[in-house]
Amino acid sequence: MTAVTRSSGTTTSVDVAEAVRAVRASSRRRQLLDAAVVVMGRTGFHQMSMQALADEAQVSVGLFYKYFGSKEDILLAAIVDILEAFRDQLQPAMDTAGDDPVMQLIAGFRQYTTIVDENRDAVVLTYRESRTLDAAGRDRIKELEVQTSAPMRDATTAAIDEGLMSSVDVDLAVFDLMMLAHGWALKHWHFAPDYGLDAYIAAQLRFALPALLVPEKLGEYLSRI
């Protein structure tokens, strides 16, 4: 492909080619990570072989090594991938709820649990295998978990400041909500026969909100779930 001369605000054929390559690389990486989650869920991390990964993804072993240097790199990438999804998708979903911080928190919990539902195997993998990571990998996971919780912490703090919530420990409240969301993956085998995703989210909100909201506001928000 021959590049055209770049001018201000003009897209060149080089730009297009680079964009196409980036999309293809991202799609390929997604394919490899999805295969890794499946294999690790089936065999566990320590029993996982690069050949099994390649077979699952229907690619060569060499292609895996093109994207990841080791099994440990694959594990870290799979865990980071879902944490980044939480981090990147939570705030936009909460912004759609308007200015009410309680409704923002409700929207955040709903989006968080929806992401859990879309990545149930990866969530289980995170709990089961994250201890396998080295110290740097574990620190990266902790950093992302704190970043992920920030929008819900901000909404909870605002709700307390506006007198909508009791003066609770913000970190404790938010991480409790995150654990309730994780429960959809960790205990899906138990809850799925009786709950769909929306029903599970509503039930957990009805369980959690009475511990957070001031009594005179509880009925108003429960009616909006």
Side-chain angles (χ1 to χ4, degrees):
M1 180 179 293
T2 302
V4 300
T5 302
R6 181 188 297 274
S7 60
S8 178
T10 301
T11 300
T12 70
S13 57
V14 172
D15 295 326
V16 173
E18 289 178 350
V20 169
R21 283 194 293 270
V23 169
R24 286 175 177 170
S26 177
S27 177
R28 179 67 78 183
R29 190 175 186 274
R30 171 81 272 145
Q31 175 191 2
L32 299 180
L33 286 178
D34 287 346
V37 169
V38 170
V39 174
M40 283 188 277
R42 187 166 61 227
T43 69
F45 170 75
H46 294 288
Q47 285 72 43
M48 177 182 69
S49 70
M50 295 301 289
Q51 187 60 58
L53 292 177
D55 291 345
E56 180 68 31
Q58 297 183 334
V59 299
S60 68
V61 170
L63 187 63
F64 260 99
Y65 280 117
K66 177 181 177 181
Y67 284 85
F68 306 103
S70 66
K71 285 172 53 175
E72 289 74 14
D73 288 344
I74 296 170
L75 174 60
L76 178 60
I79 295 174
V80 165
D81 186 67
I82 185 173
L83 290 174
E84 288 180 339
F86 289 133
R87 183 196 63 192
D88 297 341
Q89 296 180 36
L90 208 58
Q91 188 66 65
M94 294 173 67
D95 289 342
T96 65
D99 296 330
D100 186 323
V102 176
M103 294 308 297
Q104 290 173 2
L105 185 63
I106 290 171
F109 178 77
R110 180 172 287 111
Q111 181 64 25
Y112 196 99
T113 313
T114 299
I115 298 170
V116 167
D117 180 61
E118 294 169 349
N119 299 272
R120 291 198 305 269
D121 291 342
V123 170
V124 173
L125 177 70
T126 299
Y127 272 88
R128 192 175 69 191
E129 302 291 1
S130 59
R131 64 184 181 277
T132 303
L133 298 171
D134 61 18
R138 291 194 299 272
D139 287 344
R140 175 64 173 148
I141 298 307
K142 293 173 185 177
E143 175 188 357
L144 280 170
E145 286 183 345
V146 171
Q147 291 176 10
T148 294
S149 67
M152 290 201 291
R153 288 204 312 273
D154 291 344
T156 303
T157 299
I160 293 171
D161 291 343
E162 293 181 23
L164 302 172
M165 281 190 184
S166 305
S167 184
V168 298
D169 183 309
V170 172
D171 274 343
L172 183 62
V174 169
F175 278 106
D176 279 352
L177 287 171
M178 291 166 67
M179 290 295 294
L180 292 176
H182 293 166
W184 180 243
L186 297 173
K187 298 298 181 183
H188 189 260
W189 58 271
H190 179 74
F191 289 118
D194 299 315
Y195 289 92
L197 175 62
D198 290 341
Y200 179 85
I201 291 170
Q204 292 291 24
L205 285 169
R206 292 191 184 98
F207 170 76
L209 288 179
L212 300 174
L213 297 176
V214 296
E216 56 270 27
K217 290 290 184 178
L218 180 59
E220 172 188 344
Y221 287 106
L222 289 180
S223 69
R224 300 168 71 179
I225 295 174

